[in-house]
Amino acid sequence: MGVVIEREEWALTPLAYPLLSAAALAAVLLLPYFSARTAAHATGSSSPFDVGTAPFLRFRRAFLILFSLASVVEGIHSVFGEDEFVRCGLGREQMAARLASTTAAALFPGAISGVISDKIGPRRACILYWVLQLAVGAVKSFGVLRCSWINNFILAFASSVFSFCFETWLVLEHEKQDQKQDLLFDTFWLMTFFESVSHIGSQEITNVLVSDDDTRFLLPYAFAATLSVVGILYIRNASSTSQSTSQHASAVGSYQKSFFAHVLRDKRVLILVIAQASIHFAVSTFWFLWAPTIVADGRYAQLSVIYPCFLASRMLGSAGFPWFYGATAPFRNEDSLTIAYIGAGLALSIVAYDYQEIGPLVIVFCIFHACVGFILPSLARLRTMYLPNELRGGMMSFSLSLANAAIFIFLLQGAHHRRFANSTILFLASYGLLGAGGCIHMLRRWRKHTRQNARSL
C-alpha cells in the first residue's frame, strides 16, 4: 500500500495587498489636509503633486514619469530572479558564483561611476544608464546570448548608475530653479513611492508577456529595450537641463581634494556613507535570501503573490515619510530615521533567529520594507543637508562599493566554501542596520551640540 504525502500550501490572505495599497494611498491623499507644511506652500491646489512654480512642476511631472519608466526597466530585469538562471540550466552554486563574479567585476566601474557622473553631469549619466539598459535588453532578446555573464555585469553597472543619476539630476534642477527645500524633499519620497509602484507594474508586465515558450520569454527584454530608447530620446530633447549640466561640469575644479575634504574628512558625511552602505547591503541580502527563508520548512507558498506585498509595504513607508519631518512632526527628523533603522534591524534579526512560520515571516518582511521605504528618502534629505551637490554621485557610488564588496565576500564564501549560513548573513545585515541607527543618533547629537555652541558664541 502506497503512502500518500499531502502537499501543504500556505496562501496569503486576499485582503493583504489591497489593505496595504489603500493605506499607502490614504497617507498620500490625506497629507494636505493634516500637514500645515503642505498647506503653507500650496498655491491653489492641496495635492502634493501640484505644489511649486509652473516650470518646476512641469519638470517634476516629466521627471517622475521618466523615473518610473526607468524603475519599470529595473524591475523587468530583476523580477525573474532565480527562474532565469534555472532556465539557463544553472544550479545553486553556479548561481552564487555567477552573482559573485558579477559583483566583483562591477566593483571598480561602480565605484568610479559616481565620479564620472559628477564630471559629465547627471543628464549624460542618465543617458548612460539608458544606453546600458538598451544594451542588455537588446542582447537578451536573442536566446543564444541570454545567459551570457556580460549581461549580469552590465546590469550591475547600470543599477549602480541608477541609484544616483536621477537623484542628482533632480537636485541640480531644483537648485537651478531656486525652489524651496520642502519641494525637493517631497520629490524624494515620491520617487521611492513611484519606484515601488513601477516594480509592481513590471511584475504585471512580465506576467502578461512571458510564458513557458522561450520565444515569449524574450518579449519583456524587448519591451525594456524599447523603453530605453524612449528614455534616451526624451533626455536628449530635454534642453532645459543642458545648460545646468555644462555649468556643473565646469564648476568642478579639483575633484579629489574636494572629495577628501567634504566626504572622507567630514564625520557627518561618513555617517551617511555607512548608513547608505548598510541599507544597500541589507536590501541585497534580503532579495537573495527571502525566498529560501520562506520555504525553508518544506511547505509551499505562492512567492509571486507575496512579492507585491513587500513593495506595497515599501510604498506605505515612503508615503509615511512626509508625516515625520518638519516642525510639526512628532519626532525630530534624525530620531525618526533612527527608529526606522532599528525597526529594520530588529525585523531581520527575527528572521535570522530562524523563525519558520510563514505568516509571521511575511509580516516581519513587510515591516522591514516599510522601514526601507522610510529610510531611502530620509537619507536623500540628509545628503542634501550635508553634502555638496557636485559630490553626490561620488559619495553614493563610494557607499555602494562598500556594500558590494561585502556582498561579494559572502557570495563567494557561500558559493564555494559554505562558511556562512543564511542566518549568519542576515544577522550581520541586522547588526549593520542597528549600527547605522546608532550612527544617525550620533549625527543628531552632533548637530544639536553644534547649534548650542553657535548660540553661545
Side-chain angles (χ1 to χ4, degrees), residues 8-10 294-301 356-359:
E8 183 181 1
E9 182 172 348
W10 184 87
I294 288 289
V295 299
D297 58 354
R299 291 188 295 183
Y300 294 90
Q356 291 296 334
E357 291 294 330
I358 298 181

Side-chain angles (χ1 to χ4, degrees), residues 34-46:
F34 293 91
S35 175
R37 175 183 60 84
T38 305
H41 64 249
T43 57
S45 174
S46 59

Side-chain angles (χ1 to χ4, degrees), residues 128-146:
L128 173 62
Y129 165 78
W130 285 115
V131 170
L132 293 173
Q133 291 289 4
L134 175 60
V136 174
V139 171
K140 284 193 173 184
S141 297
F142 299 95
V144 180
L145 302 176
R146 190 180 69 204

Side-chain angles (χ1 to χ4, degrees), residues 22-42 45-51 60 182-183 185-187 189-190 193 316-326 328-330:
L25 292 176
V28 175
L29 298 178
L30 295 178
L31 175 65
Y33 301 99
F34 293 91
S35 175
R37 175 183 60 84
T38 305
H41 64 249
S45 174
S46 59
S47 172
F49 301 97
D50 297 326
V51 179
R60 188 168 74 162
D182 287 342
L183 302 180
F185 298 157
D186 282 339
T187 312
W189 71 262
L190 286 174
F193 187 88
L316 180 60
S318 59
F321 167 76
W323 295 78
F324 287 90
Y325 83 90
T328 59

Side-chain angles (χ1 to χ4, degrees), residues 63-78 109-110 113-114 117 122 124-133 154-170 188 190-199 228 235 276 280 314 376 383 392-393 396-397 400 404:
F63 171 83
L64 288 175
I65 292 175
L66 187 66
F67 179 76
S68 299
L69 294 179
S71 301
V72 169
V73 175
E74 282 281 303
I76 287 176
H77 288 299
S78 61
S113 59
S117 173
R124 291 173 180 166
C126 291
I127 293 178
L128 173 62
Y129 165 78
W130 285 115
V131 170
L132 293 173
Q133 291 289 4
I154 298 177
L155 277 179
F157 184 41
S159 296
S160 65
V161 176
F162 173 78
S163 63
F164 57 79
C165 65
F166 287 96
E167 180 183 315
T168 306
W169 185 18
L170 169 67
F188 285 152
L190 286 174
M191 287 174 63
T192 308
F193 187 88
F194 276 88
E195 183 181 4
S196 303
V197 175
S198 301
H199 283 173
S228 301
I235 297 179
Q276 182 70 36
H280 178 72
R314 196 165 178 250
L376 294 180
R383 282 192 291 268
R392 183 179 292 259
M396 294 184 68
S397 62
L400 292 180
N404 288 332

